[in-house]
Structures are given as structure tokens and as C-alpha cells.
Amino acid sequence: MPSGHFGKFGGRFVPEMLIPALEELEVAYESSKKDPEFKKEFLDLLKNFCGRPTPLVFAKNLTEKLGGAKIYLKNEGLNHTGAHKITHCIGQGLLAKRMGKKRIIAETGAGQHGLACATVAAKFGMECVVYMGETDIARQRPNVFWMEQLGAKVVPVEYGNKTLKDAVNAALKDWIENVSDSYYLLGSVVGPHPYPTMTRDFQKIVGEEIQNQLKGAEKKLPDYVVACVGGGSNAMGAFNNFLPLKQVRLIGVEAGGRGTKKGDNAVRFKGGSVGVVEGFKSYFLQDEDGQVMNTHSVSAGLDYAGIGPELAFLKEEGRIEFESVTDKEALDAFKTLASFEGIIPALESAHAMAYALKLAPKLSKKEVIVVNLSGRGDKDLFIVAEAFKDKNFYSFLKDFLKNE
Amino acid sequence: MNNISLRLDKLKIEKKLGFMTHVVVGYPDLAGTEKLVLMMDKLGIDFIELQIPFSDPLADGPTIMKACEDSLRSGTKVKDAFDLARKLSPKISAPLLFMAYYNTVFKYGTEKFCKDAKASGIYGLIVPDMPIEENQSEGFFEACEKNGLIHIHVISPASNKKRLLINKKVARGFIYVTARQGITDAKKGLDPKITQYLKEVKSVFDIPLAVGFGISSRERVNMIKEYADIAVVGSAVLDIINENPKDYLKKVESFLEELKK
């Protein structure tokens, strides 16, 4: 079997024009893995630039309130730029440098990935071009503003639906044309080989930290690790280390959105089927003709129609279980976590939290759940203020405009 | 014998540059696609690609992406492509090919897709996101061959010598050379890097070369003539349809007539 396959999933289903670039990347990645200097530099940046290790904190108040399993929170939101994403962006940025590339190309939907890329490019003194659909730019001005402050060029994509799909297309086109000096930084465990493997390898430090930290606190392995799943980078990061340890149950939480109707959620495993899209084989939300369907989630990071191929494989193997929670449950969990534990989570991470809140009371007090809080909630300010219909926030915005 | 091979032989004997045109099924609408194909065949176009619209067309530029989106929005189904092929194939002499993304084929069922395509009068399949390495587990080329379909391979200036040789082993019919880049000003002529590339491709493959490099004028046809056996006219037709929603048929017709002169 060619490399990059996870059972029947994964692969490199791309046009010929992309293959030489992906082969070059694969070779460079494999050689970086064998280089102790590369690893040293990566770990040094994670510690001194990103703030690793992130804390694993005992959620005492919630544990007592729910009366069941002990809940621990892996606070990935304390990473530089506010989420786990910076970790694989640092890894890929170092790889880009090693390959002698001068430019980072990225696409972004809500803007978080673009922001992490812009940060890394600034740190490494590289040029950064971020493609973003015009519609997304209109919706996510704060992130565009920050990317520009970091020195990135945000290029509006004016064709198609003017959202993520079109941004991917524009970024790939740029990459094909400028492959000799440019690196395409893909932001999750999706896409053609070697991206899913590479992103997982950079992220697996999260699970390693969880295991060490919990050993110190509880002298045992977690009984459950819970993580939200969009493309799946934070979940693969948290889960990877526990895959061989069968006594640890691994639960991925998908976005249940507004409900079970088609287009109202991003539950790939219940609503989707196997397909080949954007260069890899996995589960996708698609119709009977294989057309990728629209998705919805209150959380921008979870409304992706596909899921990482390794997660699809591990689901079929029965190693990872998948659940979903609705927008409303996630927003409730957001409030609960903020008021009981003093942590404002990203809406993505609030999905993992919401499931843990349902799970904990059903378990014994001896058991331990680790919830991977992939990011902090600052970025969701506008969405949360809108969801909670905060009148004062709206009047603040009106006053803000008066100062123009 | 497959009609694509017959037509290639004919072009060789007559020492003529062949033409391949491209339409997106359901763009601007299904009736329009039908009229376009009939007109193209009447003009003596040698091969016609029917692109089955897909929601995530990774290999296509903005023009084709937009046509696919418009077509899907107006409700085009994969079944419509088969129906159209079945309706058109007895009426025309140009061999029809399906251009599709692998997900369309896979979702339909690879074996069934090939069988039904053949039964609908299709002679070849162009599936750009099915590289040779993945075929090992998918068996797509074998399904084509079993059903008498030619699988056309697409390469680009990004394909290095190693990739050209890998493709040479499996390529059938003709090799499709395409690019989203590399075209300089029509008056200035082809980028020397591109002519060099086309020469290299020609030296590697012993099957005919179909070249699609944003061919939008007679000048550009002349530029590639030396290196190509078939000129592929792709997004230029879609651009005309896009800009002339009312009388696109006439406009496309005179555009193609001019190219073929």
C-alpha cells in the first residue's frame, strides 16, 4: 500500500500538477523527523514562543457540582495566539525554512488558521499570503485586521461562493505557480498525504503532556479523553498518544448545529458517507451524487464537511467513539465553564465540554475525564455576544461607530 | 476499435491539427449544452469533453468553477450527464468524453460508472484527481479498460521527468497537457519555458499530445501547432457563454470557426 493511507482512507487524490510539490514536501518532512536539531528547535519554540506545556487543571467546582467522574481540563487556549493550531504551524513553518522557502501560503475560513500562519511567518521572517473568501472577510474583520498587523497580505477571493473552498482553490493555484519559493501551510489533519500525518505528528505533544501531567496529579491514565472534531487536528493531538492504551476511551465530539436536518449540522459520521474530496478519502457530508453539502455550526472551526482520514479509520476500527452536541448545548457549556471554572473556551472547545458535562454524572468518582480545551474564546466575542443577544454590546458597537 | 483511436488515426493520416472542446453539463442549461455540442460537432470538432459538474473542482480555475456552481445550483444531476450523452452520441460523429472528478465516479460506483458511460456512448474518461499511485487500490483504469473506455491522463508543466515517465506507462489515447499558468501575452508568443516543456513531453510520449494553454485565439493555436496534435479549447468557450447569455451559441460558433480556419 502506498504511504499516507489509513486503512482505506487518506491517500493523495490530486491532479498531477500537485504531485511533485507533495513529493518534495514528503521527502523534506521525512528527513526532518530524523534530524535531532529540528526537533530541538521545534520544542524550544513551543516552550519559549508558544508557552508549552499548557496546564492540565482539575475542574474542582464542576466535578463537585456534577458528582461523578473527576474532570480535568487541558487548557490549550493558553497557547500563543489562543489555540492548539500554533503548534503545527510552528512545525510546518520550521519545515518551510528547512526547505529554503521564503513565502508561506495559506487559506483561511474564519481566520484563525490564517492568524497562526501570519504569526509564524512574522516570527521566521517570511512573507505570508493568506487567501480568504470575500464573504468570510466581511464576516471576520477582526481576524483580517490582526493578520494585517502581523504583516500578512490577506488576498480576497472574489469568485465562487467566496468562502473557504474558493480560498483553498486560490491558495493551491498560487502554490503550483510559486512552488520553488513557497510553502503551502495546511491547517488540519486533512488534505492529501503527507499533511494528515505531518500535522498529527506535530500535534501529538498534547497527548504526551496530558499523560505526564495526569500521572503527576492522579497517578493513573485518564479513563476518557474528550475532544471536539472539525478537521480533527486537536483531537488527533490529544488522542494519538493513547491509541495503543486500549483502556483509555477516546471520544470525538462533532457539531450537531441547529439539528439533524441536512445542512443544519456538521455530523460527518451519522449524516455523511465515504468520498474523495480535496485530495483525500474519508467521510464527507455529501449528497447521493457526491456533491459536498453545506454545513452549519455556531463554531466556525467545526463546520467542515469532511473529517481527517485517520479519524475515519479509527472510527471504523472502533478505537474512537463519536458523539455530537448542538449549538445550544455548546453555548450552555460555554457559560457553565466560564462561571464555574473561570475559563472562557472557544466555541469549538465548548462542544467537547458539553459532552463531558453529560458524561461525568454517569461515571464513578474514581474515573477521570480529560477534556481537551483546544482554544480560548476571545475570538468568538462577536458570535457569543450575538448568540446571547447582549444589548449592551450592541450599543457599545453603535457608540464605537460614532467615533469614526 | 474505440472512436477516439479512430479519430486520432484519421488526424494522423490527414496530418491535421485536431480540436477538442469542452462544455460543462447544465451550463448555461441542459438544453444549451446539447445545442453547443451539436454545433461543435457540425463544425468538425474532433473530440468533445462533457464535464460533469462537481462541488469541489480542485483542478479547475475560476471560470470552470463558476460554471460548475451555476449548473449545480440550477439542479443538474450526474444522471443528466448520462442522459445527455445517450441523447447526443447517436447524432454526432465527434467522440464524447466525460471529464469528472473522482468523487463523482466513486460515489456512482466505479465499475457501474464505466459501464453506464460506455452504454451512453462515451469513449473516454478524464479524471484529473486519480493519480496512478491511488489507482492501485481503486482499480479505476482497469474498470475503464474492461468497458472499452480510454482513460486520458493529464499532465502539466509542474510534472517533472519522473512523473512524465510514470504517466507514459499507463497513458492511453492521447496525453492531455494543461496549465493554469505559463501563457504570456498572445502577441509575444509562448513562454520559451513552455515550448521547451512541450518539446520534452513530445520526446517522452509516443501517443499524440493534446494541449490546453488558455487557447483563446487563432494566434495561440498557431503558437502551439508545432508542438501539439490536438488543441484544447476550454474556458474560452465558457467565457463567451458567460459574457453573452442571449446569443452565446452564435458567438461560440463564430469563435470556433475562426480558430479552425
Side-chain angles (χ1 to χ4, degrees):
Chain A
M1 187 181 285
S3 51
H5 286 250
F6 309 95
K8 68 178 181 190
F9 300 106
R12 183 182 282 162
F13 292 86
V14 295
E16 272 291 333
M17 60 187 164
L18 280 172
I19 288 180
L22 290 166
E23 284 182 341
E24 183 198 0
L25 179 60
E26 185 181 1
V27 169
Y29 176 58
E30 289 301 325
S31 102
S32 76
K33 272 207 297 201
K34 294 180 198 121
D35 181 355
E37 278 303 309
F38 184 88
K39 191 170 182 190
K40 206 176 129 199
E41 201 178 352
F42 177 55
L43 292 177
D44 179 72
L45 281 160
L46 292 188
K47 184 174 172 224
N48 297 311
F49 184 61
C50 302
R52 282 204 171 280
T54 57
L56 180 76
V57 60
F58 176 51
K60 185 167 175 283
N61 301 335
L62 276 179
T63 300
E64 281 170 8
K65 169 180 145 58
L66 296 168
K70 284 186 173 172
I71 300 173
Y72 278 82
L73 307 170
K74 177 63 171 164
N75 196 350
E76 285 287 296
L78 286 179
N79 272 299
H80 183 44
T81 74
H84 73 289
K85 293 262 181 207
I86 191 74
T87 307
H88 61 245
C89 288
I90 288 279
Q92 290 196 51
L94 277 176
L95 190 58
K97 224 172 76 175
R98 183 186 172 87
M99 293 169 80
K101 311 286 183 187
K102 308 266 183 282
R103 255 174 111 233
I104 300 259
I105 307 164
E107 81 286 332
T108 195
Q112 285 307 115
H113 172 58
L115 193 63
C117 288
T119 303
V120 167
K123 175 73 182 159
F124 293 164
M126 296 164 105
E127 194 189 328
C128 182
V129 180
V130 180
Y131 290 91
M132 191 167 180
E134 258 190 345
T135 310
D136 285 334
I137 288 182
R139 286 192 292 216
Q140 306 286 348
R141 178 50 62 181
N143 277 335
V144 176
F145 179 72
W146 287 137
M147 281 186 269
E148 287 169 351
Q149 297 308 307
L150 288 159
K153 188 177 163 204
V154 181
V155 181
V157 180
E158 292 157 1
Y159 56 82
N161 291 333
K162 300 168 190 172
T163 57
L164 184 60
K165 187 203 311 183
D166 312 293
V168 170
N169 195 285
L172 283 175
K173 190 177 167 190
D174 182 328
W175 192 35
I176 293 163
E177 286 173 16
N178 299 294
V179 69
S180 56
D181 73 340
S182 301
Y183 182 96
Y184 178 47
L185 210 165
L186 206 153
S188 190
V189 287
V190 299
H193 180 61
Y195 286 105
T197 306
M198 192 165 68
T199 305
R200 174 206 65 202
D201 289 350
F202 288 134
Q203 282 294 343
K204 70 182 180 190
I205 191 169
V206 179
E208 291 165 4
E209 286 179 7
I210 291 174
Q211 191 174 346
N212 283 334
Q213 290 165 321
L214 196 67
K215 206 170 162 190
E218 294 285 338
K219 306 206 167 31
K220 64 174 279 187
L221 286 169
D223 297 286
Y224 290 83
V225 180
V226 182
C228 65
V229 185
S233 58
N234 93 85
M236 277 315 301
F239 294 163
N240 186 71
N241 200 46
F242 298 107
L243 290 175
L245 307 166
K246 297 281 157 67
Q247 64 271 44
V248 181
R249 286 176 69 176
L250 306 173
I251 298 178
V253 184
E254 296 183 276
R258 286 182 292 249
T260 53
K261 231 174 74 189
K262 275 182 184 174
D264 274 357
N265 60 66
V267 184
R268 284 72 46 101
F269 285 120
K270 275 196 188 120
S273 58
V274 178
V276 180
V277 182
E278 282 178 4
F280 66 106
K281 188 186 259 191
S282 188
Y283 273 81
F284 293 90
L285 285 166
Q286 53 181 336
D287 69 13
E288 65 285 355
D289 271 355
Q291 311 295 356
V292 176
M293 299 194 307
N294 288 331
T295 55
H296 163 81
S297 168
V298 68
S299 136
L302 298 184
D303 67 355
Y304 181 57
I307 193 161
E310 190 171 11
L311 286 157
F313 170 68
L314 292 165
K315 149 87 176 162
E316 289 212 339
E317 291 281 293
R319 183 62 191 97
I320 301 180
E321 302 156 63
F322 283 85
E323 302 287 344
S324 66
V325 304
T326 62
D327 285 354
K328 189 181 173 304
E329 288 171 317
L331 286 163
D332 288 347
F334 173 95
K335 271 191 171 163
T336 304
L337 187 61
S339 57
F340 278 82
E341 295 295 340
I343 294 176
I344 293 176
L347 286 174
E348 291 79 1
S349 320
H351 282 70
M353 196 63 230
Y355 182 73
L357 295 177
K358 289 197 260 186
L359 177 66
K362 296 180 203 156
L363 303 177
S364 79
K365 290 185 179 184
K366 280 187 207 152
E367 288 175 285
V368 171
I369 302 174
V370 173
V371 182
N372 195 38
L373 294 179
S374 55
R376 61 174 179 249
D378 310 30
K379 69 177 179 67
D380 293 322
L381 177 62
F382 284 84
I383 299 169
V384 174
E386 190 187 349
F388 295 156
K389 300 189 172 58
D390 190 278
K391 286 207 177 95
N392 291 331
F393 192 80
Y394 282 92
S395 50
F396 160 75
L397 288 178
K398 276 179 204 148
D399 291 344
F400 183 82
L401 287 178
K402 281 182 205 151
N403 298 332
E404 197 186 355
Chain B
M1 208 173 168
N2 185 299
N3 278 11
I4 293 173
S5 313
L6 291 175
R7 184 64 70 120
L8 289 170
D9 289 348
K10 185 170 169 260
L11 288 169
K12 200 175 170 185
I13 293 164
E14 293 173 0
K15 291 199 173 68
K16 266 169 58 181
L17 178 72
F19 279 87
M20 177 157 82
T21 52
H22 166 273
V23 291
V24 171
V25 174
Y27 184 77
D29 49 44
L30 280 169
T33 313
E34 189 180 342
K35 281 180 206 151
L36 282 163
V37 172
L38 290 171
M39 176 266 286
M40 288 166 174
D41 181 64
K42 224 171 90 189
L43 289 177
I45 296 293
D46 299 285
F47 310 93
I48 302 171
E49 272 183 82
L50 301 177
Q51 177 161 358
I52 305 178
F54 177 51
S55 55
D56 292 60
L58 202 62
D60 288 307
T63 307
I64 296 180
M65 270 183 90
K66 184 196 174 295
C68 288
E69 272 163 19
D70 283 4
S71 173
L72 290 174
R73 207 173 297 125
S74 63
T76 306
K77 299 282 175 219
V78 172
K79 188 181 169 292
D80 295 324
F82 285 94
D83 290 346
L84 187 66
R86 209 175 304 115
K87 202 167 164 189
L88 283 168
S89 55
K91 296 186 198 163
I92 62 175
S93 67
L96 289 174
L97 298 97
F98 271 156
M99 188 276 185
Y101 281 85
Y102 185 58
N103 199 41
T104 306
V105 179
F106 176 77
K107 236 350 218 177
Y108 193 96
T110 304
E111 178 68 37
K112 187 172 158 27
F113 188 95
C114 293
K115 196 167 160 250
D116 289 359
K118 178 68 184 172
S120 311
I122 293 290
Y123 289 98
L125 298 182
I126 304 170
V127 180
D129 59 344
M130 170 47 72
I132 291 149
E133 288 74 9
E134 295 302 336
N135 186 62
Q136 288 177 26
S137 39
E138 301 297 323
F140 168 69
F141 303 157
E142 291 78 4
C144 287
E145 281 160 25
K146 194 177 141 195
N147 290 287
L149 296 170
I150 295 181
H151 45 94
I152 302 293
H153 290 249
V154 186
I155 55 165
S156 88
S159 312
N160 50 31
K161 187 77 180 253
K162 182 184 139 208
R163 296 305 304 175
L164 295 184
L165 291 171
I166 288 174
N167 275 278
K168 185 191 174 168
K169 282 190 197 150
V170 288
R172 302 279 183 274
F174 56 85
I175 187 84
Y176 190 161
V177 193
T178 183
R180 291 164 126 192
Q181 82 271 36
I183 278 286
T184 51
D185 193 302
K187 287 183 193 98
K188 282 186 202 150
L190 280 182
D191 183 335
K193 271 190 255 167
I194 297 295
T195 49
Q196 189 52 41
Y197 181 71
L198 289 175
K199 276 183 203 159
E200 192 190 353
V201 172
K202 205 152 177 70
S203 73
V204 168
F205 290 90
D206 9 316
I207 53 176
L209 241 63
V211 178
F213 276 67
I215 293 171
S216 55
S217 65
R218 182 69 221 169
E219 282 102 336
R220 288 197 180 176
V221 173
N222 287 335
M223 274 181 234
I224 60 143
K225 212 163 64 179
E226 198 181 323
Y227 315 97
D229 302 290
I230 300 162
V232 185
V233 187
S235 50
V237 168
L238 295 177
D239 281 334
I240 297 173
I241 300 172
N242 206 4
E243 283 155 22
N244 305 278
K246 282 197 183 122
D247 58 347
Y248 65 87
L249 210 60
K250 270 220 126 55
K251 290 262 165 62
V252 172
E253 187 171 14
S254 47
F255 166 71
L256 292 176
E257 266 176 345
E258 174 63 25
L259 281 193
K260 285 203 85 226
K261 249 185 204 166

